[in-house]
Structures are given as structure tokens and as C-alpha cells.
């Protein structure tokens, strides 16, 4: 398997998280070789978004010469810790897949289930999602499920701001 990771430094992403991100991109977009290109966001635009986009967390996914989507890498709070997640977007800014990459708690792991996460698929930038209304609740994972839902909602809102600013 060949991976290309040109265009951004790995300083802020741990090797374990990088590997999980690579696997998520590879399996979701069915590619072996790809490049992640960091999307730079000016501070003036970043202040308008609900998620932090000034770090190495938003990428264009390139396969050869073809643009195939975006990846947003985020961190959200769970009961006592945080978890890492990725939201993968189609070129039209609809969610192709969301995935919990690293979960650090003993309880609430149900949010990593694709059965639950598939509720986000197809949501587009500018759409909103609300826990308990648009997204089903999970017994035993209430805090993490709410947190993941809020995180995806904020990413969708932020992607819309970037789209309107012609950054995407």
C-alpha cells in the first residue's frame, strides 16, 4: 500500500491518529494512494466558524490529479476525557462518513458503531443536526453521543462558512 502525505506536516497528529485517519480515508474512498493537502483558513474567516480550523485539521483528499473530498479531523469531549473523530466529505460537501478514531473511555463506545454514525451520512454543509431529534439517542453513551452530534453540527456549520467564503 502506498500513501502520499505531502503538503502538511505531521507535527500535530500522533502516529496512531495519523494511521487511523489514513485507514478511514482509504476504506471510505476506496483508494490506496492519496494525498492529504492542508486547507489553510485565514484567521478572519476562522473567527466566524464554530470549530477551530487554524490547525492541521482540514484537508483536501487528492487521488492522483483528482480531488475526491475533504477530511475534517476533530476532538470532542466525552465523560472524563476526549475522543478523536473524522468527518469525511464528498466534493459537494455532503458527509460521506463519520468515524470515531480514538475513544479513551470505558463507557460510551457505542458512538463508534457505524449503525449509529450512519445517521450523519448525506448531511450537507449548512444542515443542522440535533441530538434526540435528527440523531437517535444512545443509552449508556449519552454524553459522548451528544458531544459527537454537537461536533458534527459545528463542522457542518463551519464548512458552510468556508463554502460561502469560497475557500472550499
Amino acid at each position: 500500500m502506498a500513501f502520499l502525505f505531502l503538503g502538511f506536516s505531521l507535527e500535530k497528529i500522533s502516529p496512531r491518529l495519523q494511521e487511523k485517519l489514513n485507514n478511514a480515508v482509504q476504506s471510505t474512498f476506496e483508494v490506496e494512494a492519496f494525498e492529504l493537502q492542508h486547507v489553510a483558513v485565514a484567521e478572519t474567516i476562522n473567527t466566524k466558524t464554530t470549530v477551530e480550523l487554524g490547525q492541521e485539521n482540514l484537508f483536501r483528499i487528492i487521488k492522483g490529479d483528482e480531488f475526491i473530498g475533504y477530511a475534517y479531523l476533530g476532538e470532542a469531549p466525552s465523560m472524563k476525557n476526549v475522543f478523536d473523530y473524522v468527518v469525511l466529505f464528498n466534493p459537494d460537501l455532503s458527509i460521506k462518513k463519520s468515524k470515531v478514531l480514538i475513544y479513551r473511555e470505558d463507557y460510551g463506545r457505542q458512538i463508534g458503531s457505524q449503525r449509529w454514525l450512519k445517521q450523519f451520512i448525506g448531511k450537507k454543509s449548512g444542515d443542522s443536526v440535533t441530538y434526540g431529534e435528527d440523531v437517535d439517542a444512545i443509552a449508556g453513551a449519552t454524553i459522548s453521543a451528544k458531544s459527537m452530534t454537537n461536533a458534527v453540527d459545528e463542522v457542518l456549520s463551519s464548512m458552510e462558512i468556508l463554502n460561502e467564503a469560497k475557500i472550499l
Side-chain angles (χ1 to χ4, degrees):
M1 288 191 229
F3 294 102
L4 299 172
F5 305 109
L6 311 171
F8 72 97
S9 67
L10 302 177
E11 294 173 15
K12 298 181 195 287
I13 302 174
S14 72
R16 179 175 174 218
L17 185 57
Q18 183 67 55
E19 180 181 352
K20 290 187 174 282
L21 173 60
N22 297 345
N23 290 339
V25 170
Q26 184 182 28
S27 63
T28 302
F29 289 93
E30 299 177 350
V31 294
E32 287 192 34
F34 60 91
E35 179 183 354
L36 295 176
Q37 295 178 345
H38 177 250
V39 176
V41 179
E43 186 59 33
T44 55
I45 300 295
N46 193 25
T47 59
K48 298 176 183 178
T49 63
T50 54
V51 295
E52 172 63 44
L53 294 169
Q55 305 298 318
E56 302 266 335
N57 56 3
L58 181 61
F59 306 95
R60 283 184 188 85
I61 306 167
I62 308 295
K63 176 187 166 193
D65 292 332
E66 178 187 3
F67 163 68
I68 59 172
Y70 292 98
Y72 175 81
L73 183 61
E75 190 176 82
S78 53
M79 182 181 252
K80 297 177 184 170
N81 212 325
V82 294
F83 59 91
D84 298 294
Y85 67 92
V86 66
V87 181
L88 300 168
F89 290 90
N90 291 304
D92 69 355
L93 300 180
S94 64
I95 294 178
K96 185 169 182 80
K97 186 174 189 175
S98 58
K99 184 171 181 145
V100 175
L101 300 176
I102 300 175
Y103 193 80
R104 297 173 181 89
E105 300 269 357
D106 293 331
Y107 298 100
R109 292 189 182 280
Q110 301 94 314
I111 67 161
S113 155
Q114 280 307 303
R115 183 176 180 188
W116 185 76
L117 289 168
K118 73 180 181 181
Q119 298 176 88
F120 299 114
I121 294 173
K123 301 290 184 189
K124 292 188 172 198
S125 68
D127 286 353
S128 65
V129 289
T130 305
Y131 181 75
E133 292 178 24
D134 308 301
V135 176
D136 294 337
I138 300 179
T142 304
I143 293 169
S144 295
K146 281 182 182 177
S147 182
M148 183 64 178
T149 303
N150 290 340
V152 171
D153 186 59
E154 291 175 354
V155 171
L156 289 168
S157 171
S158 297
M159 293 296 277
E160 181 62 16
I161 291 167
L162 297 183
N163 190 36
E164 290 172 356
K166 306 287 187 226
I167 293 173
L168 303 179

